[in-house]
Amino acid sequence: MKPSELAKPFVHAYPAYVPGRPIEDVAREMGLDPAAIVKLASNENAFGPSPRAVEAAKRAIEHGQLYPDGGCLALRNRLAEFHGLKPEQFVIGNGSNEIIEFLGHVFLSRGDEVVMGLPEFVMYRLVALLFGATPVEVPLVNHGNDLGALARAVTPRTKLVIVATPNNPTGTANSPEELASFIRSLPDWVICVVDEAYSDFADNPPDIRPLIREGLNVIGLRTFSKVYGLASLRVGYGYAGAELASLLDRVRQPFNVNAVAQAAAVAALDDQDFARMCARETRKGIRRLEEGFADLGLEFVPSQANFVLVRVGDGAHVFEDLQHRGIIVRPLKLYDMPEWIRVTAGTPGQNERLLGELAAVLP
Ligand SMILES: Cc1ncc(COP(=O)(O)O)c(C=O)c1O
């Protein structure tokens, strides 16, 4: 029999994740110099990692023959200090994406439901489908998560409710107060997942630690891919009550986070001055993009994250035209928003280049 006949039936219908296009790919296809290409497609950090993280990564690879510490003890200790929690309240993943998958391993069976916004980060839907669960997608209102509607969508079959704040792809945030009362309102058979991938860029991010201390079923997800500029190393974490964290930790691969990533993450946490600079400069970049879009007469969604959603008419067309000019943005067909593109804030020079090229390609 062919492998495709042997595969589980759901795999045939399983939608693939479509990432932002890599610079090398676009350079090859367009015949451009990779150095001249600007990627503003994947909400990465234009300012790169802290030099201290780079040094730590170089030192770590000198011991590349050794398996990493599977328990990520040094990183969990450092995170515990940073957040004022205990090391056993953390679970470390190969990117925070992997923590979403751990949640599936631990909590989702066929027929379970996962409540989430629409549109919201597509991995939530993909992980629900991977475990045979049903994604219950609740339309955003004014591009923001409608917490009341999310709460009303909960049924006895709901296992997870996921809220990204700020949300991806819209960049909107829920207020700490409304988020806290939403979490309190959920029944106790539901785990609330608060995805804080972009919270470092927000004006007034929520603090779910008091809710964790109260013993509520809530987990925060964070990543080193955004404000810490370490997306290539794949490291993220969840923090929750110790019982929830240890359940998630149980289903990981023995060495899921490599030693270079662990060392770089610890060093990045130690360099908060650099992280604060990245957050500050990124916010300035966001304001500049928003101002530029307004000058071009384009509708945009005011952003609390490191990217802005802007309505350009034919998103796929504008994406293609920008690509020919060496700028990669994210078309949003995948999110069923064909008139919009998502643009990550770059360096000041990159932002000006994007605005100039966008002006040139608009009809
Ligand atoms: C909302 C959200 N959560 C999680 C992630 C995944 O981050 P990581 O690189 O840690 O897997 C992303 C990445 O873009 C994201 O947008």
Side-chain angles (χ1 to χ4, degrees):
M1 286 173 90
K2 289 183 184 167
S4 58
E5 291 170 303
L6 297 168
K8 297 186 208 172
F10 92 92
V11 175
H12 296 292
Y14 191 65
Y17 179 79
V18 184
R21 289 201 66 192
I23 288 177
E24 310 303 328
D25 265 22
V26 173
R28 212 174 306 115
E29 188 183 313
M30 305 288 155
L32 296 170
D33 174 4
I37 293 187
V38 174
K39 184 180 175 211
L40 303 175
S42 300
N43 306 338
E44 293 146 339
N45 182 340
F47 303 95
S50 148
R52 286 165 66 176
V54 174
E55 269 314 304
K58 284 183 186 163
R59 280 196 302 276
I61 202 161
E62 285 170 12
H63 307 284
Q65 76 281 13
L66 301 175
Y67 283 103
D69 168 14
C72 298
L73 192 62
L75 179 54
R76 283 194 294 122
N77 283 338
R78 187 65 192 84
L79 284 169
E81 214 179 294
F82 182 68
H83 286 288
L85 296 168
K86 299 198 181 88
E88 56 271 27
Q89 292 185 268
F90 292 86
V91 52
I92 317 293
N94 197 270
S96 56
N97 270 350
E98 198 185 29
I99 312 287
I100 305 169
E101 197 174 323
F102 294 164
L103 286 158
H105 278 298
V106 172
F107 294 107
L108 299 180
S109 303
R110 182 159 297 283
D112 289 339
E113 292 172 354
V114 182
V115 172
M116 62 191 78
L118 179 71
E120 198 163 38
F121 184 45
V122 73
M123 280 310 297
Y124 311 150
R125 183 161 177 273
L126 294 185
V127 166
L129 294 172
L130 193 59
F131 292 93
T134 306
V136 176
E137 298 178 292
V138 178
L140 304 191
V141 170
N142 295 328
H143 303 291
N145 262 308
D146 180 347
L147 298 184
L150 286 170
R152 287 191 295 279
V154 169
T155 74
R157 310 187 83 152
T158 307
K159 286 288 175 61
L160 304 175
V161 175
I162 312 183
V163 179
T165 184
N167 185 43
N168 178 9
T170 57
T172 55
N174 293 98
S175 76
E177 298 73 26
E178 65 170 337
L179 186 75
S181 54
F182 164 74
I183 293 169
R184 282 183 209 289
S185 78
L186 294 172
D188 70 354
W189 63 84
V190 168
I191 306 281
C192 183
V193 182
V194 181
D195 189 337
E196 302 176 322
Y198 301 102
S199 63
D200 299 282
F201 305 106
D203 295 330
N204 184 21
D207 179 358
I208 62 165
R209 290 171 300 179
L211 304 174
I212 292 173
R213 288 196 191 96
E214 280 174 40
L216 295 176
N217 284 336
V218 59
I219 176 168
L221 303 186
R222 298 273 181 117
T223 177
F224 285 91
S225 302
K226 308 299 175 187
V227 82
Y228 293 111
L230 293 172
S232 71
L233 294 186
R234 312 304 302 125
V235 53
Y237 59 98
Y239 62 102
E243 183 183 336
L244 175 49
S246 87
L247 285 166
L248 297 170
D249 200 53
R250 208 174 284 188
V251 298
R252 66 173 168 78
Q253 290 281 317
F255 306 109
N256 62 321
V257 182
N258 70 71
V260 177
Q262 292 184 38
V266 170
L269 277 173
D270 283 340
D271 195 353
Q272 286 302 313
D273 283 348
F274 189 84
R276 273 192 292 271
M277 180 282 288
C278 291
R280 188 178 61 241
E281 294 305 314
T282 301
R283 280 195 210 105
K284 277 192 211 161
I286 290 291
R287 299 292 86 83
R288 174 64 192 123
L289 289 175
E290 290 176 343
E291 184 187 275
F293 297 150
D295 289 345
L296 291 169
L298 298 174
E299 180 184 348
F300 62 89
V301 181
S303 176
Q304 288 287 305
N306 67 345
F307 55 85
V308 191
L309 199 59
V310 55
R311 190 175 207 160
V312 292
D314 184 342
H317 206 227
V318 169
F319 161 73
E320 290 290 339
D321 285 353
L322 286 174
Q323 211 169 237
H324 278 102
R325 291 161 178 263
I327 299 186
I328 315 172
V329 297
R330 193 65 159 260
L332 289 176
K333 196 162 173 284
L334 177 72
Y335 288 97
D336 213 15
M337 300 181 81
E339 295 183 1
W340 300 74
I341 57 171
R342 196 191 63 196
V343 181
T344 307
T347 60
Q350 292 172 336
N351 296 334
E352 293 313 317
R353 190 165 149 211
L354 176 277
L355 289 170
E357 300 291 10
L358 184 59
V361 304
L362 286 172

